[in-house]
Amino acid sequence: MAINKRKPFQAVSIPSLNTPNIKRRYSVTQDIVSFRRCPRQYGTFNVHKYAPAYQTQAYFGTILHQVLDRCHTHFHGKIEPSTKGSLPDNGNIISDQEIEEYFDDLKQAEGAKTTTPTPPSEIIQYFIEVENGLKSQGIRAITQDMRVKAVRLLQYFNALEGLTLYPRVKDTEHRLQADRTNHILHGVVDLLVDSENLQANPADCEMWDYKGSSLLDVNPKDLVNYEFQMRVYAKLYELKHGVLPKKAILYFLNELDGLTCPSQRPKNALLEVSITPHEIDDAVNEFAQTVLQIEQARLNDQWNPATSGNISEKDCDICDLRWDCKTPNNGKGVQLRYP
């Protein structure tokens, strides 16, 4: 066969490779719950990776979770063996004024590039460590009041729940994962808590998840999503440990807020989520359906705004997309302001 010297590879045929079926990993909270709350926010910030101007919810929720994680490791002596069996600060609480004064001194020292003052408590030490990590990710508190409130809630929780809860904590940031037909489902449980008799039996274990809000302020749709989240976690727990957890608990930290630390747990601070097999199966099916909706939205690159009532007005008030969205104000949108 004559070969065209100008096109020597013209007759060469290379079979096309089959496109590999790459499964996406979908997080219960960062993907599924976020999309269910508002597809447009999810597409903008999670898929297209635009950075929101303010990450108020990310700051408040993350700093509470991570500082409490340090409190648990403190009690179990994983950071410093000498602290094993003791609460951070021995459960003592410092005043809001002392917290504010420390934050002011810290800001002044950082501005002058001088030695930073020693934190007045272990809770604040852990708080500053976590906050510095969040700053490196561009996540900051909008106001000083938010920082003070976060420390106050952390102190109250530590003093009120520490002695009874910390000894029962079996694991923190417990990672769960399952390989499904067309996606990988994963989630992170804040706490695995042993039953009160401290038996190391997976069937006696409780799943706890912290929420930075108060129960009475939660949008009904958000509460549905929280319950959905715990039921999916229960299924993942069953796949990993062979049994369902004994309980699924939501703890609303903002129920502790007030001028003084409550002497007993407020009624609305703790909510037990029903995890019957039927409810769990429904949640897993909803998860799979939401994955299909996300994949379709990715294919068309079409991310519709939330339906009015499916998202709280507080979420809309801090959303960068609110100026071009009809969802806020019960579907009326936000009135533009001009200088």
Side-chain angles (χ1 to χ4, degrees), residues 76 78 167-172 192-194 200-202 205 237:
H76 290 277
K78 295 180 180 179
R168 297 170 55 203
V169 173
K170 184 177 180 180
D171 193 16
T172 62
L192 288 187
V193 179
D194 273 331
N201 184 345
C205 205
Y237 182 92

Side-chain angles (χ1 to χ4, degrees), residues 203-220:
D204 289 329
C205 205
E206 301 172 4
M207 298 186 310
W208 284 46
D209 196 78
Y210 296 132
K211 300 300 179 186
S213 58
S214 63
L215 176 59
L216 298 180
D217 290 337
V218 173
N219 178 283

Side-chain angles (χ1 to χ4, degrees), residues 186-294:
H186 73 100
V188 180
V189 179
D190 290 340
L191 293 180
L192 288 187
V193 179
D194 273 331
S195 60
E196 295 183 3
N197 56 15
L198 298 179
Q199 292 183 357
N201 184 345
D204 289 329
C205 205
E206 301 172 4
M207 298 186 310
W208 284 46
D209 196 78
Y210 296 132
K211 300 300 179 186
S213 58
S214 63
L215 176 59
L216 298 180
D217 290 337
V218 173
N219 178 283
K221 289 288 185 180
D222 284 337
L223 186 57
V224 169
N225 279 329
Y226 294 160
E227 293 173 339
F228 160 83
Q229 170 192 347
M230 299 305 285
R231 287 165 185 152
V232 175
Y233 283 167
K235 182 62 178 180
L236 291 173
Y237 182 92
E238 182 184 30
L239 292 173
K240 182 173 182 177
H241 299 284
V243 292
L244 288 173
K246 184 177 182 179
K247 293 180 181 179
I249 303 293
L250 293 171
Y251 197 106
F252 294 90
L253 291 159
N254 204 38
E255 292 288 344
L256 305 180
D257 200 20
L259 296 177
T260 60
C261 179
S263 58
Q264 59 184 7
R265 180 188 297 156
K267 180 180 178 181
N268 291 322
L270 191 145
L271 176 67
E272 182 175 347
V273 177
S274 174
I275 48 171
T276 66
H278 176 71
E279 290 169 325
I280 291 171
D281 288 343
D282 284 347
V284 172
N285 289 333
E286 286 180 37
F287 189 105
Q289 289 300 314
T290 306
V291 167
L292 294 177
Q293 293 171 14
I294 294 175

Side-chain angles (χ1 to χ4, degrees), residues 288-302:
Q289 289 300 314
T290 306
V291 167
L292 294 177
Q293 293 171 14
I294 294 175
E295 291 292 343
Q296 187 63 42
R298 281 180 178 273
L299 183 64
N300 300 325
D301 197 23
Q302 182 174 346

Side-chain angles (χ1 to χ4, degrees), residues 45-311:
F45 303 120
N46 292 50
V47 177
H48 290 297
K49 304 299 182 183
Y50 288 100
Y54 300 108
Q55 300 197 53
T56 307
Q57 290 176 316
Y59 171 87
F60 197 70
T62 304
I63 206 158
L64 291 176
H65 280 75
Q66 294 191 10
V67 174
L68 287 176
D69 186 55
R70 280 167 165 75
C71 291
H72 301 139
T73 54
H74 174 108
F75 182 85
H76 290 277
K78 295 180 180 179
I79 298 176
E80 171 57 53
S82 63
T83 67
K84 187 172 183 177
S86 65
L87 299 181
D89 306 314
N90 293 316
N92 294 322
I93 295 170
I94 64 174
S95 67
D96 286 4
Q97 182 178 348
E98 292 176 273
I99 299 169
E100 289 177 355
E101 288 174 354
Y102 172 75
F103 285 156
D104 290 340
D105 292 343
L106 180 63
K107 181 178 180 180
Q108 185 176 358
E110 290 175 341
K113 299 187 183 304
T114 58
T115 303
T116 56
T118 302
S121 72
E122 290 169 322
I123 291 280
I124 292 183
Q125 176 188 333
Y126 298 148
F127 180 91
I128 295 299
E129 291 172 357
V130 172
E131 190 175 57
N132 287 340
L134 293 179
K135 286 179 182 178
S136 69
Q137 302 172 47
I139 302 174
R140 300 170 181 268
I142 295 178
T143 65
Q144 176 105 314
D145 287 346
M146 181 180 290
R147 301 173 77 202
V148 173
K149 179 176 181 177
V151 173
R152 183 169 65 245
L153 292 179
L154 290 164
Q155 291 186 128
Y156 286 179
F157 183 88
N158 182 61
L160 179 64
E161 304 283 4
L163 283 176
T164 55
L165 177 63
Y166 295 172
R168 297 170 55 203
V169 173
K170 184 177 180 180
D171 193 16
T172 62
E173 300 293 310
H174 187 70
R175 300 186 180 278
L176 300 168
Q177 181 170 295
D179 191 346
R180 314 301 284 180
T181 304
N182 59 353
H183 62 275
I184 296 173
L185 187 164
H186 73 100
V188 180
V189 179
D190 290 340
L191 293 180
L192 288 187
V193 179
D194 273 331
S195 60
E196 295 183 3
N197 56 15
L198 298 179
Q199 292 183 357
N201 184 345
D204 289 329
C205 205
E206 301 172 4
M207 298 186 310
W208 284 46
D209 196 78
Y210 296 132
K211 300 300 179 186
S213 58
S214 63
L215 176 59
L216 298 180
D217 290 337
V218 173
N219 178 283
K221 289 288 185 180
D222 284 337
L223 186 57
V224 169
N225 279 329
Y226 294 160
E227 293 173 339
F228 160 83
Q229 170 192 347
M230 299 305 285
R231 287 165 185 152
V232 175
Y233 283 167
K235 182 62 178 180
L236 291 173
Y237 182 92
E238 182 184 30
L239 292 173
K240 182 173 182 177
H241 299 284
V243 292
L244 288 173
K246 184 177 182 179
K247 293 180 181 179
I249 303 293
L250 293 171
Y251 197 106
F252 294 90
L253 291 159
N254 204 38
E255 292 288 344
L256 305 180
D257 200 20
L259 296 177
T260 60
C261 179
S263 58
Q264 59 184 7
R265 180 188 297 156
K267 180 180 178 181
N268 291 322
L270 191 145
L271 176 67
E272 182 175 347
V273 177
S274 174
I275 48 171
T276 66
H278 176 71
E279 290 169 325
I280 291 171
D281 288 343
D282 284 347
V284 172
N285 289 333
E286 286 180 37
F287 189 105
Q289 289 300 314
T290 306
V291 167
L292 294 177
Q293 293 171 14
I294 294 175
E295 291 292 343
Q296 187 63 42
R298 281 180 178 273
L299 183 64
N300 300 325
D301 197 23
Q302 182 174 346
W303 308 95
N304 298 320
T307 304
S308 181
N310 278 5
I311 187 170

